[in-house]
Amino acid sequence: MAYLLTCNIEIGEYKFPFAHEVSIERAWDTLGDKCTIKMPTNAVLKDVGTNVVQKLSFDEVLKTGTKVLVQLGYDGNNATEFVGYIAEIVPTYPLEIVCEDEIYNYKRSAIISKNYANISLKNLLKEHFADATLSDSIPDVSLVNFTLNRVTKAEILQKLKDEYLLCAYFRKGKLFIGLPYTEKNPQTSTFRFQGDMVENKLRFRKKEDMKLLVKMVSIDANGAKVEAEVGDKNGEIITIHKRNIKSKEALETIGKVELEKYKFEGYQGSFTSFIIPYIDHSDTCELLDEIYPDRKGKYLVDKVKVTWGVSGARREVNLGRKLTQ
């Protein structure tokens, strides 16, 4: 049975059911989602409010900061894949419209300059991101002599991400801040090796074959940092945040326990499916295999890339840590 690719793309006051190509990238470790839309330089557009059809040049209607909605699917059953704003217009052929989600506005927020003699990390976030969802995982630490020197909201998030290992991303337009994989109520989607996957770059690894280096970081209530490393020096690096562990030896002991959690027997890598079923980063991906049924398992998702266009519609899913059954 054949399925017809369909889309609904709205840019400002106009909407149209076509594009040369759409590419969307989402990940928990980046600030904001990115969407690139490739369009012809001229098109017949329909006004969203009046439904009046008119032929316009994109040069006449495209401006940075214009609101963008992208819905993709099959046979008219389109799901929302991106909501954001035009960040850049690249005058090539086809025309490239580079878009960002709400991080676009955070990059252009009012400039902030402020000094804090002593403020908790959570209170700092509440002050500057009052509407955000704050995870309980945020470390309970004090920031002493903390300075914000002519920075935007996006730069504050980047600074806290770099120094305190926080992740910050938007889910349905609302900012989430916390440690990775601590967002509540993520969804679970099931993918079958036989039926759902178009391309498979997954590798099934035995526990004893995995090379990992766990970097442990602990920050106490006064902001002092202790670090330790456990595992294979040349292995894949995993950073884990803990609170109020004051000695390197204690941190190494905890690191050995954490290392065992990540040294699992299971799949690593990515696979490509059709754009249904839907899944996003930080969600749970359940893998089922008819040939090797004992290899089934649930994994957290690190990154998702969606492509839609003349060559078809695909969703590339990058797996993260395996969940215990």
Side-chain angles (χ1 to χ4, degrees), residues 31 102-103 105-107 109-110 112 116 119 121-135 138 143 146 148 151-161 166-170 174-178:
L31 279 181
E102 288 295 332
I103 200 66
N105 291 323
Y106 280 54
K107 289 180 178 179
S109 69
I112 300 168
Y116 298 90
I119 187 173
L121 178 56
K122 283 189 176 181
N123 284 339
L124 180 76
L125 292 171
K126 289 177 181 178
E127 178 178 337
H128 295 285
F129 307 99
D131 295 331
T133 298
L134 303 182
S135 169
I138 294 173
L143 308 181
F146 187 81
L148 297 175
V151 293
T152 63
K153 285 189 173 184
E155 289 171 324
I156 295 175
L157 288 175
Q158 187 64 55
K159 179 179 177 66
L160 297 178
K161 176 179 180 293
L166 298 179
C167 65
Y169 52 83
F170 296 91
K174 188 173 180 64
L175 178 63
F176 170 83
I177 305 175

Side-chain angles (χ1 to χ4, degrees), residues 195-210:
D196 294 319
M197 296 186 187
V198 178
E199 184 179 9
N200 176 5
K201 295 181 181 179
L202 296 172
R203 294 179 299 164
F204 191 84
R205 301 286 297 275
K206 296 288 187 179
K207 181 178 179 179
E208 57 270 20
D209 295 333
M210 297 182 70

Side-chain angles (χ1 to χ4, degrees), residues 54-71:
Q54 52 186 313
K55 186 174 182 179
L56 293 175
S57 166
F58 277 108
D59 293 336
E60 300 176 33
V61 299
L62 294 186
K63 294 180 176 62
T64 57
T66 302
K67 194 72 178 286
V68 175
L69 168 69
V70 177
Q71 297 175 318

Side-chain angles (χ1 to χ4, degrees), residues 13-294:
E13 300 177 347
Y14 301 96
K15 64 181 179 181
F16 39 93
F18 63 87
H20 279 296
E21 185 177 285
V22 177
S23 176
I24 301 168
E25 294 188 24
R26 300 192 289 265
W28 60 259
D29 64 345
T30 59
L31 279 181
D33 301 340
K34 183 178 179 180
C35 172
T36 300
I37 307 169
K38 294 184 179 181
M39 298 291 294
T41 55
N42 295 280
V44 176
L45 304 179
K46 181 185 289 187
D47 187 289
V48 174
T50 64
N51 282 328
V52 174
V53 176
Q54 52 186 313
K55 186 174 182 179
L56 293 175
S57 166
F58 277 108
D59 293 336
E60 300 176 33
V61 299
L62 294 186
K63 294 180 176 62
T64 57
T66 302
K67 194 72 178 286
V68 175
L69 168 69
V70 177
Q71 297 175 318
L72 307 173
Y74 302 99
D75 298 329
N77 296 316
N78 302 320
T80 298
E81 294 282 358
F82 179 83
V83 178
Y85 306 87
I86 296 178
E88 182 184 5
I89 302 166
V90 184
T92 57
Y93 185 84
L95 194 71
E96 288 192 17
I97 308 166
V98 181
C99 308
E100 296 175 340
D101 64 5
E102 288 295 332
I103 200 66
Y104 175 88
N105 291 323
Y106 280 54
K107 289 180 178 179
R108 293 157 181 81
S109 69
I111 298 298
I112 300 168
S113 293
K114 196 168 182 178
N115 296 319
Y116 298 90
N118 192 311
I119 187 173
S120 72
L121 178 56
K122 283 189 176 181
N123 284 339
L124 180 76
L125 292 171
K126 289 177 181 178
E127 178 178 337
H128 295 285
F129 307 99
D131 295 331
T133 298
L134 303 182
S135 169
D136 294 336
S137 67
I138 294 173
D140 184 18
V141 300
S142 295
L143 308 181
V144 180
N145 297 324
F146 187 81
T147 300
L148 297 175
N149 184 20
R150 296 189 55 78
V151 293
T152 63
K153 285 189 173 184
E155 289 171 324
I156 295 175
L157 288 175
Q158 187 64 55
K159 179 179 177 66
L160 297 178
K161 176 179 180 293
D162 294 340
E163 295 184 8
Y164 296 96
L165 310 179
L166 298 179
C167 65
Y169 52 83
F170 296 91
R171 187 80 82 187
K172 296 182 179 179
K174 188 173 180 64
L175 178 63
F176 170 83
I177 305 175
L179 293 181
Y181 304 128
T182 58
E183 182 184 13
K184 294 182 179 179
N185 303 317
Q187 73 173 35
T188 299
S189 298
T190 301
F191 292 84
R192 299 165 298 150
F193 280 83
Q194 297 78 25
D196 294 319
M197 296 186 187
V198 178
E199 184 179 9
N200 176 5
K201 295 181 181 179
L202 296 172
R203 294 179 299 164
F204 191 84
R205 301 286 297 275
K206 296 288 187 179
K207 181 178 179 179
E208 57 270 20
D209 295 333
M210 297 182 70
K211 302 296 182 183
L212 298 176
L213 176 64
V214 173
K215 288 190 174 184
M216 301 293 300
V217 180
S218 176
I219 303 174
D220 68 18
N222 295 318
K225 185 183 293 186
V226 180
E227 298 179 284
E229 294 184 356
V230 177
D232 305 295
K233 294 299 182 182
N234 296 322
E236 177 187 351
I237 298 174
I238 297 172
T239 303
I240 299 176
H241 189 284
K242 292 292 181 181
R243 306 180 193 179
N244 298 319
I245 308 299
K246 298 184 178 181
S247 75
K248 183 176 179 180
E249 292 75 17
L251 205 56
E252 287 177 344
T253 300
I254 297 173
K256 291 176 182 178
V257 176
E258 294 290 340
L259 180 63
E260 288 303 304
K261 293 181 182 178
Y262 284 87
K263 273 205 163 188
F264 59 83
E265 182 170 290
Y267 288 104
Q268 289 183 308
S270 66
F271 66 88
T272 301
S273 70
F274 300 101
I275 57 172
I276 53 173
Y278 180 92
I279 197 167
D280 205 349
H281 73 77
S282 304
D283 286 345
T284 299
C285 175
E286 181 180 28
L287 297 180
L288 298 179
D289 193 331
E290 296 176 3
I291 299 176
Y292 302 102
D294 58 322

